Each structure stands twice: as C-alpha cells, then as structure tokens.
Amino acid sequence: MEGYPRLLDLFVEGIARLTSYALTDGEKESIVNGFHKFHERLERMSSSSALKRLAIESQNRHYHDSHCQHKGASCPQNAIRGFLKAFLVGFGVKCGLEIVPHIISLQLLKRPSLLLSGCSQDTLSFASFLAALIGSYKAILCTMRNIRGGKHGDYTNSLVAGMLAGLISAKLDRSQSRRNAIALYLFSRALQYGSVWLFERWATWQQSEEDKIRSRWMKRAHSADVVSAMHRRRGGGEQEIVERANPEPQLNWGEMDMTKWSPEPKISWSPEVTDKSLETKRDEARRTRGIRSIITFTRNYAPAALMTFSVTLITYVLVFHTDSIPKSYANLLYKSSGFDSLYPKKSASAFKAISNGMSDVVANTRGIPQGMPTKQYIAQLPYGEDLLPAFDDNIHHHHLACGILHPETIYCSQGVVSALMRGFPFAMKMYVPFNIAIQLIFKRGLVLKNPLAILAKIMKSSARSSLFFSLMATAITQAPCIFRALLGRDTPAGYIAGGILGGLAVLIELPSRRIDLGMYCFLRGLQMAWDVGIKKGLWKNVKHGEVALLSVSMAVLMSIFQNDPTTFGLTYRSIITRIFGKN
C-alpha cells in the first residue's frame, strides 16, 4: 500500500497535464476549484505538485508569443486543444446522427446492440477529418505568424493556413459523397461571404470617392465666393463681403441641389464656376446616384434573384433529369408538394412520365383524345402503371401533365388549392421542431424566462416559413398549367416559369433568412447541375477536384473570418466561432 499514494500522485499529475492542454483559462479556474475540494477529502493521497501547477497556470498570465492572438499557454497547446475538441465533437455528433433514428423508432429497446452502431469506422473517419482540419489550421496559423511576424497583417497567414488545412484533412474522410457535399457547402459559403466582402470594400471605396468629390466642390465654392467678394470690395468701396448665411444664387440655370446627396447646406456658385465644371459636377452626381441605386438594389433583391435562379435550376432537373436528384432531397420535394400522398413511393415516375410526354410532339400537341378517360390513356404510357391508383375511372383531362399533377380534379385552380392544403401541414411538421431546436440551442435563457412569448414567436416563424415552402412547391408543380392553357401544349418554358414564381416566394420570408435559403438551394442546384453535366458528357469529374475546392473555400472563409468576422451573419459567425474558436 506504500506505492498507492505515489500512483495516485502520478494519476492526478497526468490529469492536470491533460487538462492544461485541453481547456481554456476560464475553464481551468473551475477545474482548480474542483481539485481543491477533492484535495480536502483526500489529503493524504492527493498530488500537491499537480494542484500547484494547475493553480499557478490558471492564476498567472500564460506565455504568449508576441505575434499570436489565441488563448492558451502556448501555440502547441492551442493546436492540441483544437484537435481534441474537434475530434470529440465530430465523434459525438456522428454517433448521435446514427443512434437517434434507432431511439425514435424504438428499435434500440429491442436491440441494445444498435447503441454501438454509431462507433463505426465511418464515424472515426469523419471525426479524424474534422480534428485534422481544425488542429492543422491552428498550428499552421501560429507557424505563419511566427515566421512572418505581426507587421504584415493576418490576411496571408489565415489564407495559407486555411488552404493547407483543407489539403491535409480532406482525404482523411473516406466517404467520397460526404467530401463532395462538404466541399460544395464550403464553396457556396465562400462564394457568398467573399462576394459580401468584396461588395463592402467596393462600397467603402465609393464612399471615400464621394467624400473627395464633396470636399473638392466645397473648396471650389469657398474659393469662388472669396474671389467674388474681393472683386466687389475693390470696385464698390462701401460694399463689404456678402454674408454667406443666405447667399444669392449666381446662376439661374443648371444649378444642382447638393442637399440630395450631402449633409452640407445648399451651395450657390459664382460666375467664376465655368460651364465645364458644372457639367462635371452633374456627371459626378449622376454617377453617385447610380452607384447608390446599385447598392440598394443588390442589398434588397440579390437574395431573391439567387433563390429564383436556384429554384428554376432545381425545377428543370426535377422534371427533365429526375434521376440526378439525390434521394433525400427528392423525397423532401415529393412530400412538400403532396406528390408522395398522390403516388406513394412512385413520385419519380410521375415526373418521368411528364418528361416523356413532352418528347412526343404530336401527342403533346393533341393532348388526351376527347372522351377517353385519363386513366386509360396513362395506362398505355411508360411509367403509367405506377400512377394508375391515383386516378378515377371516369375523369378526363385535356393534357397529360394536368392529369398527373392534379389527378383528383380537371380544374387547375382546384389543383393549386389542393397542393397548398397538402404541402402546408407537412411544412409545419418540419419547421416547428426545427425552430424549437434553434431556440433551445441558442436562446435557452429566453425560453426559460418567457416561454409563452417564445412559443408564439416559434409558431409565427414556422407559419411564415411553411407558407413560403408550400407556395414554392405549389408554384413549381402547378404554375405550368397557365402555359398549357395559353399554348395548348406542355413546354419546358412552363416549368421554368414555375421555378421563377417558386423562387419569388422567398419574399414572404424575413430578409435576414432569404440569403441563407438562397444559398441552400443554390448548393443543391449546383450539385444537381454538375451531375447532369457529367451524365450528358458536358464535362468530366476532375480527380481530387473536391480536395482543391475544399482548400480554396477554406482559404477564403478563414481569411475573412480571421480578419473581418463581421462580414459573416450573426448566426453563422457564432457557429464558426464555436467550431474554430478565437485564434
């Protein structure tokens, strides 16, 4: 038993050392208090040296390299702490995603062994990728700072660190599909926030140019007034300098009201201001108004334009290249549009039948023969057998697509109402749990403080989002009926118009959410378009292309995050700060 206290000393010594590497300064304070309480209970067997080291490290200032900005005792500790935290978080999240479905379906009660399904090779692969990405980024960033020093700025440091971290970690994830999805997601975010960063820099430069123009014209106006006053003093004798509080205008034509774009008072120009300078002033003012109009339009309508383009692209792929849509996303579209209830597990066959129907020009123009039930006509077509249970024996539609999109009625307006009634409840079931989870994760204090107000906010937000989602899905599937009625046949233009109308439904959402929705749909549309292009032979897969895309995207995102974090939205900034920490 004599060696037992020594073994306990070594154990506590090791725990203290690992704690110093894995925790921040604030966290160490709470750990030290716990060790002190533990020490009071086990006075004879505790390790005073470990407690003293941990207390000294938490109470004193840690060593910081003059060029590093992270919290921690040293650069190696910062990198190791990031690696360990990222590995544990990645492993836990992936395990949770594997186990939660078994818990919800109650299969875990019947087969407890499913609890180990989350601890798979795939889970270790994903956790290793995330840990290497964050740990290597922190290590390379510190190395770059120490090599280059602090006088050169941090843009290059973070850009190189992000690029190398992406190259190092990408291949650790063995799932090709997941690597592609992560690379495309980061690319879409890099494109979004890179554009925002460039736009803000351009707007700042334009504002500085406006300030220079305003200052130049103010100086010219002041100089002209002084010269005019001196001229009057020489010639008039008794005439003194005219008060500038209420100057009389010197020109009765072409005068510009500068108060429309400047906080300065209206300026009166003297005869010394030439016609050429007035024309220059007008041109510069017009240019300024045009630039401000562009800025206002971009900020207000760019998210809606991006959403419209993305939804139109998704609609085209959905109708004409149904097999190129990922199954999970296709199921979401089918359920939200009500197709899953019309054609259970056969929704893809409906869009394939529509696409085949448009390829037959004669049949498409003629439509379903008069007097022939729609069910009988569809039974003769490819994929028709999958759709027959949704049709009544006696109902007749003029166009094949109308019959498939709203088989329960011959009236397109009733089809629109039916699609909304099917899509809105499904969207509510999706958005209510999502908004509840968001509030519990990010605003737990407000939920506990005023639960009724938060619940009302959740229901309002869910209803708005559900209306947007159901309108988007309804426009995609039902808006082509307008073109069929006008042209007498089914055309791709009808579905493109449906995608445009569906994208404009995002205007129902809050302005702060539009860009996120647009980027999500843009990511999906980009992935589908890439797959369609490969199948049609328009381009080929580039070997290790996802690695290069991930590296470039990481370089852009980390450079912005490290130097201009306010470019990111508040929610996304808090998420990326939780993942990468403050460096």
Side-chain angles (χ1 to χ4, degrees):
M1 294 297 291
E2 294 180 358
Y4 181 74
R6 177 59 181 163
L7 291 176
L8 186 61
D9 289 347
L10 294 175
F11 173 74
V12 177
E13 177 84 14
I15 292 296
R17 186 179 297 274
L18 288 176
T19 303
S20 68
Y21 277 99
L23 298 177
T24 61
D25 297 344
E27 292 169 337
K28 287 179 187 177
E29 290 287 353
S30 60
I31 296 297
V32 168
N33 294 333
F35 268 106
H36 279 303
K37 293 180 181 179
F38 183 70
H39 179 259
E40 292 176 359
R41 297 183 180 181
L42 302 174
E43 293 180 351
R44 296 179 182 179
M45 294 180 291
S46 64
S47 172
S48 60
S49 60
L51 294 174
K52 288 179 180 178
R53 179 186 295 107
L54 196 58
I56 292 173
E57 287 183 354
S58 63
Q59 293 172 2
N60 298 335
R61 285 180 173 268
H62 293 299
Y63 165 78
H64 283 281
D65 191 282
S66 59
H67 305 306
C68 289
Q69 307 167 19
H70 55 74
K71 293 181 179 180
S74 64
C75 296
Q77 285 185 338
N78 179 57
I80 292 173
R81 182 172 66 240
F83 180 91
L84 293 176
K85 283 186 175 182
F87 184 86
L88 293 176
V89 170
F91 191 87
V93 169
K94 190 65 172 63
C95 279
L97 293 176
E98 295 288 342
I99 296 173
V100 166
H102 299 311
I103 296 176
I104 295 176
S105 60
L106 302 179
Q107 294 180 5
L108 195 63
L109 298 177
K110 300 177 182 179
R111 297 173 56 191
S113 60
L114 292 175
L115 191 62
L116 301 177
S117 62
C119 304
S120 61
Q121 186 69 27
D122 185 61
T123 302
L124 289 173
S125 174
F126 175 74
S128 300
F129 157 74
L130 190 63
L133 181 68
I134 296 175
S136 60
Y137 170 75
K138 291 176 177 290
I140 296 170
L141 182 62
C142 289
T143 303
M144 290 290 296
R145 284 171 172 170
N146 291 326
I147 293 175
R148 301 181 72 246
K151 61 182 179 181
H152 301 291
D154 224 19
Y155 281 98
T156 303
N157 297 337
S158 52
L159 188 142
V160 173
M163 181 173 292
L164 293 180
L167 288 173
I168 292 171
S169 60
K171 283 299 182 180
L172 292 178
D173 191 351
R174 298 183 179 182
S175 174
Q176 177 72 36
S177 59
R178 187 164 58 224
R179 285 205 308 269
N180 293 340
I182 293 174
L184 282 173
Y185 174 78
L186 293 179
F187 173 71
S188 66
R189 289 298 182 179
L191 189 64
Q192 174 189 352
Y193 292 116
S195 301
V196 172
W197 185 86
L198 291 174
F199 183 81
E200 289 180 351
R201 294 299 167 278
W202 178 75
T204 302
W205 177 78
Q206 289 295 336
Q207 184 62 45
S208 66
E209 290 297 313
E210 288 184 27
D211 294 340
K212 292 179 182 178
I213 294 172
R214 184 184 299 113
S215 176
R216 183 166 63 249
W217 281 106
M218 291 297 295
K219 289 180 180 178
R220 289 185 182 181
H222 175 72
S223 176
D225 285 348
V226 171
V227 171
S228 178
M230 291 176 63
H231 176 73
R232 287 193 296 271
R233 289 187 64 183
R234 290 194 191 103
E238 297 180 356
Q239 189 176 6
E240 299 293 335
I241 297 177
V242 181
E243 292 292 332
R244 297 183 59 184
N246 297 297
E248 293 294 330
Q250 301 295 324
L251 296 174
N252 56 5
W253 60 273
E255 186 178 12
M256 276 198 65
D257 186 3
M258 299 289 286
T259 57
K260 291 185 177 180
W261 71 293
S262 170
E264 301 294 336
K266 184 175 180 180
I267 299 172
S268 298
W269 306 99
S270 64
E272 282 74 11
V273 181
T274 63
D275 295 346
K276 183 177 180 180
S277 64
L278 286 172
E279 290 297 329
T280 304
K281 184 180 70 169
R282 292 193 192 95
D283 293 339
E284 291 175 344
R286 283 193 216 98
R287 177 171 168 268
T288 300
R289 287 196 298 269
I291 290 171
R292 289 190 172 183
S293 299
I294 293 173
I295 293 174
T296 302
F297 179 84
T298 303
R299 287 176 175 172
N300 293 338
Y301 299 106
L306 178 64
M307 186 69 176
T308 299
F309 171 78
S310 304
V311 174
T312 303
L313 186 60
I314 292 172
T315 303
Y316 175 81
V317 177
L318 175 66
V319 177
F320 300 102
H321 302 279
T322 308
D323 293 333
S324 297
I325 298 183
K327 291 184 178 179
S328 59
Y329 193 66
N331 291 333
L332 176 64
L333 293 176
Y334 298 149
K335 290 179 180 179
S336 62
S337 61
F339 267 65
D340 191 63
S341 59
L342 291 174
Y343 310 106
K345 299 182 180 180
K346 302 293 183 181
S347 299
S349 299
F351 289 102
K352 291 178 181 178
I354 292 175
S355 180
N356 289 338
M358 274 187 284
S359 62
D360 189 344
V361 179
V362 176
N364 184 24
T365 304
R366 185 175 61 240
I368 300 177
Q370 190 67 31
M372 177 183 289
T374 305
K375 185 175 183 178
Q376 180 182 347
Y377 182 80
I378 288 181
Q380 306 170 3
L381 303 177
Y383 309 103
E385 294 183 0
D386 297 337
L387 313 178
L388 294 180
F391 291 90
D392 187 83
D393 292 334
N394 299 320
I395 195 169
H396 169 79
H397 298 83
H398 184 67
H399 297 286
L400 170 65
C402 284
I404 295 175
L405 294 174
H406 46 86
E408 73 281 1
T409 177
I410 62 174
Y411 301 106
C412 297
S413 58
Q414 292 183 8
V416 171
V417 176
S418 299
L420 280 173
M421 296 299 293
R422 291 191 299 264
F424 187 82
F426 169 79
M428 285 293 290
K429 292 179 182 178
M430 179 177 63
Y431 274 108
V432 170
F434 173 77
N435 287 329
I436 290 175
I438 292 296
Q439 294 293 330
L440 292 177
I441 293 173
F442 295 102
K443 298 181 180 180
R444 294 186 297 272
L446 293 178
V447 172
L448 297 175
K449 185 177 180 180
N450 195 351
L452 293 180
I454 295 297
L455 180 61
K457 181 180 178 181
I458 289 174
M459 296 306 298
K460 181 180 178 180
S461 177
S462 300
R464 180 192 292 111
S465 299
S466 300
L467 180 61
F468 145 71
F469 199 78
S470 56
L471 279 176
M472 181 184 69
T474 301
I476 291 173
T477 56
Q478 305 300 322
C481 290
I482 301 174
F483 274 76
R484 280 191 291 272
L486 294 175
L487 301 178
R489 65 183 186 277
D490 207 14
T491 62
Y495 296 94
I496 293 175
I500 293 174
L501 292 176
L504 291 176
V506 77
L507 296 174
I508 296 175
E509 275 284 8
L510 292 174
S512 58
R513 284 181 50 81
R514 293 172 189 171
I515 187 62
D516 291 329
L517 292 168
M519 291 306 301
Y520 173 78
C521 292
F522 176 72
L523 171 64
R524 292 295 185 178
L526 193 65
Q527 183 179 4
M528 295 175 194
W530 181 261
D531 294 339
V532 170
I534 291 175
K535 290 182 179 179
K536 298 183 70 172
L538 299 178
W539 46 71
K540 296 181 180 179
N541 265 329
V542 180
K543 189 176 182 180
H544 306 306
E546 78 282 359
V547 177
L549 190 64
L550 188 147
S551 300
V552 173
S553 303
M554 276 289 297
V556 174
L557 287 174
M558 291 299 101
S559 182
I560 297 174
F561 171 68
Q562 200 63 49
N563 299 279
D564 298 286
T566 54
T567 303
F568 296 140
L570 181 60
T571 301
Y572 191 73
R573 185 166 71 245
S574 64
I575 292 174
I576 200 171
T577 303
R578 287 173 182 268
I579 295 175
F580 284 90
K582 295 181 179 180
N583 301 295

